[in-house]
Amino acid sequence: DLLCLVHLFILEGFMARKVILFIAMSIDNYIADDQGAVDWLEKNVHGTESDDSYEKMYSKIDTVIMGRTTYEQVTQKLSPEKYVYADRQTYIVTSHLGEDTDKIKYWKQSPVELVKRIQKEKGKDVWIVGGAKLIDPLVQANLIDTYILTTVPIFLGSGIRLFDRLEEQVPVRLIDVYQKNELVYSIYQRG
């Protein structure tokens, strides 16, 4: 019996690699404005309350996945001096392949195939950074285990929507809701 428990523990540890979507959006469901900019995010955080939501999530992951546009925004606009995810394995899903390095890999095939492959590998959790074209097929394939949706107190009115191209209903369960500095965190798990 003890041997069975040890095997179960090892198997569960191996299978426990979760896929997390941690993303901020406006009240009206936009993740970027019409030009793809996200500068409105920081401008609309009000307060001085300590908020370690990002750090808690980031400590659980060892892999980030993002689309090419998101990667370019991170490396050219948000942090051009230093790649902020250099300590994690990065996969960039794109039809325009770049040169792979030890920590950055380009992926031309479906994001669904990539996530399924990564889930079979040993490691920590996986963070889906964005954008919408990458996220939608993963939601539709029901591959996201945890959704951490941060609502920023602004109506953008137009821009790039989160969850704009879903063809079917995808049930989830609400796990937690909390507020920090006028940001509302809604946490859901796959239904």
Side-chain angles (χ1 to χ4, degrees), residues 63-66 89-93 105 114 117-118 121:
T63 304
V64 298
I65 300 175
M66 65 186 85
Q89 179 66 57
T90 297
Y91 288 92
I92 302 161
V93 179
K105 307 286 185 206
L114 174 61
R117 192 193 88 187
I118 291 172
E121 298 170 356

Side-chain angles (χ1 to χ4, degrees), residues 66-84:
M66 65 186 85
R68 178 71 176 232
T69 303
T70 301
Y71 176 72
E72 288 175 354
Q73 185 168 52
V74 167
T75 58
Q76 295 172 14
K77 294 182 181 175
L78 301 177
S79 182
E81 310 83 37
K82 176 186 169 193
Y83 182 56
V84 293

